[in-house]
Amino acid sequence: MSAQAQVMDSYVDRKGIETMLTHRRNHSSAIEWLRYVRRTLGLTQKEFAGRLGYSTNMVRKIEAGDRRPSAMACERLADLLQCSAVDRADLQLWLRGGWAH
């Protein structure tokens, strides 16, 4: 694991995760919230793409609202945020477009 990844992993503590999940309800769209999470974690689109198993171009398309994250990318984000089972299910439903929050 790179030094940058270790710093990011240490940043994602329980309080930070809960704050990000709470902020989900303050954003008008899942895409806006996803961009907020990436920026809060201090990640570039390229770094975030690597964490989700995507190309940088795909992250750009998602942040532009042209694409939705795959189920696998939602799972990886839930892993990154150490989501509970309930939060994990809600997160996937919301990011994939099935829940207006």
Side-chain angles (χ1 to χ4, degrees):
M1 179 181 288
S2 72
Q4 184 175 14
Q6 288 173 342
V7 168
M8 193 201 66
D9 285 341
S10 67
Y11 177 81
V12 184
D13 60 11
R14 190 71 234 158
K15 183 177 179 191
I17 293 162
E18 289 169 3
T19 300
M20 282 185 258
L21 292 173
T22 300
H23 275 269
R24 181 177 67 179
R25 288 152 183 79
N26 298 332
H27 289 274
S28 61
S29 75
I31 302 312
E32 182 184 304
W33 179 80
L34 195 60
R35 187 178 307 115
Y36 158 80
V37 168
R38 177 180 64 78
R39 290 177 176 165
T40 299
L41 293 173
L43 298 174
T44 65
Q45 287 180 331
K46 181 178 180 178
E47 292 164 336
F48 197 54
R51 297 295 275 220
L52 299 181
Y54 273 149
S55 68
T56 305
N57 191 44
M58 181 59 82
V59 169
R60 282 190 197 110
K61 288 179 181 182
I62 291 170
E63 288 190 359
D66 297 332
R67 301 290 293 269
R68 290 274 182 193
S70 69
M72 180 60 73
C74 291
E75 282 296 313
R76 288 181 178 152
L77 179 60
D79 289 344
L80 177 65
L81 298 178
Q82 302 168 10
C83 290
S84 70
V86 172
D87 285 336
R88 183 177 295 266
D90 285 350
L91 184 65
Q92 183 153 162
L93 187 60
W94 188 50
L95 289 175
R96 305 261 308 135
W99 179 48
H101 86 123

